[in-house]
C-alpha cells in the first residue's frame, strides 16, 4: 500500500517485493527487476505494464504445459502442446508463467518431444480432475482477470517448450 508515485526506482532490485496495492504511477521503473514481485492491486504506469507483458495482444499462440499420467507410480511427466485462441483471456504476471481461460490440446508428448498415443490422458498436477486429451478444448469458468495474481485460476502454460519440460 506504499505511495511510491514519482519515485526513481530505475535499476532497483524489486524481485519478490510485496508491492500489492502500491501507487507506482509516475514511478521510473526502467531496468527494475520486478520478477516475482506481488503487484496485485498496484497502480502502475502503462509503459511498465507493457514492458512486463510477454504475451501478444492479438492472434492465436502456442503454449506448453507440464501435466502427468496417473497410470504409473511415480507419475510420468507429459508435455501438453496447447493452442491458445485469440479470443481466450490470457495473462502473465512478472514472471514467465502464463494463464489462459481456454485452450485446445494439439498434442501430448513425452519429454523428448515424441507424440504419445492418441488415447493418452494427461492430468493437471494441481487438480487431477482437470484432464488434457488430444483434440479436446479445455477451459476454466473462474478465470481470474487480475494479471498480477500469477497462481490464480486458469490454464497455466509457458510460451516455450523447454520451460514446460524443466518446470
Amino acid at each position: 500500500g506504499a505511495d511510491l508515485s514519482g519515485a526513481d526506482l530505475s535499476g532497483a532490485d524489486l524481485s519478490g517485493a510485496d508491492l500489492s496495492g502500491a501507487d507506482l504511477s509516475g514511478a521510473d521503473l526502467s531496468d527494475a527487476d520486478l520478477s516475482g514481485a506481488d503487484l496485485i492491486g498496484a497502480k502502475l504506469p502503462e509503459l511498465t505494464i507493457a514492458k512486463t507483458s510477454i504475451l501478444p495482444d492479438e492472434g492465436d499462440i502456442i503454449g506448453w504445459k507440464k501435466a502427468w499420467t496417473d497410470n504409473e507410480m511415480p507419475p510420468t511427466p507429459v508435455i501438453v502442446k496447447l493452442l491458445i485462441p485469440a479470443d481466450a483471456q490470457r495473462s502473465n504476471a512478472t514472471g514467465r508463467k502464463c494463464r489462459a481461460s481456454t485452450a485446445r490440446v494439439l498434442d501430448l508428448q513425452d519429454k523428448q518431444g515424441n507424440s504419445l498415443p492418441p488415447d493418452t490422458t494427461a492430468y493437471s498436477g494441481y487438480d487431477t480432475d482437470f484432464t488434457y486429451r488430444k483434440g479436446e478444448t479445455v477451459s476454466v469458468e473462474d478465470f481470474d482477470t487480475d494479471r498480477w495474481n500469477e497462481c490464480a485460476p486458469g490454464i497455466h502454460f509457458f510460451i516455450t517448450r523447454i520451460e514446460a519440460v524443466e518446470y
Side-chain angles (χ1 to χ4, degrees):
D3 182 357
L4 299 170
S5 57
D8 181 2
L9 299 170
S10 57
D13 180 3
L14 300 170
S15 57
D18 181 0
L19 299 171
S20 57
D23 183 355
L24 295 162
S25 59
D28 181 357
L29 293 165
S30 56
D31 298 319
D33 182 358
L34 293 168
S35 60
D38 181 353
L39 295 168
I40 296 173
K43 185 175 178 185
L44 289 161
E46 203 171 316
L47 181 58
T48 299
I49 293 170
K51 285 182 176 182
T52 58
S53 181
I54 61 173
L55 294 170
D57 292 331
E58 299 177 0
D60 297 345
I61 59 172
I62 299 296
W64 302 90
K65 110 171 258 87
K66 183 182 273 186
W68 307 90
T69 61
D70 78 341
N71 57 351
E72 301 170 7
M73 287 309 278
T76 301
V78 174
I79 305 303
V80 183
K81 183 177 182 180
L82 300 167
L83 174 73
I84 313 299
D87 62 349
Q89 293 177 293
R90 52 192 180 193
S91 70
N92 73 285
T94 57
R96 302 275 307 165
K97 189 166 43 168
C98 305
R99 296 183 298 113
S101 60
T102 189
R104 187 163 46 94
V105 180
L106 297 178
D107 199 16
L108 299 176
Q109 304 173 354
D110 63 20
K111 287 178 78 173
Q112 292 73 37
N114 303 305
S115 292
L116 298 173
D119 62 343
T120 302
T121 299
Y123 299 85
S124 165
Y126 178 75
D127 176 2
T128 55
D129 290 332
F130 202 90
T131 59
Y132 300 90
R133 292 180 190 90
K134 187 174 180 175
E136 291 188 359
T137 297
V138 292
S139 60
V140 294
E141 294 179 19
D142 57 346
F143 182 81
D144 186 341
T145 57
D146 185 344
R147 75 168 275 200
W148 307 114
N149 194 0
E150 185 175 86
C151 294
I155 300 160
H156 293 249
F157 67 95
F158 294 98
I159 54 176
T160 67
R161 187 180 190 286
I162 192 165
E163 289 172 295
V165 170
E166 297 300 323
Y167 184 69

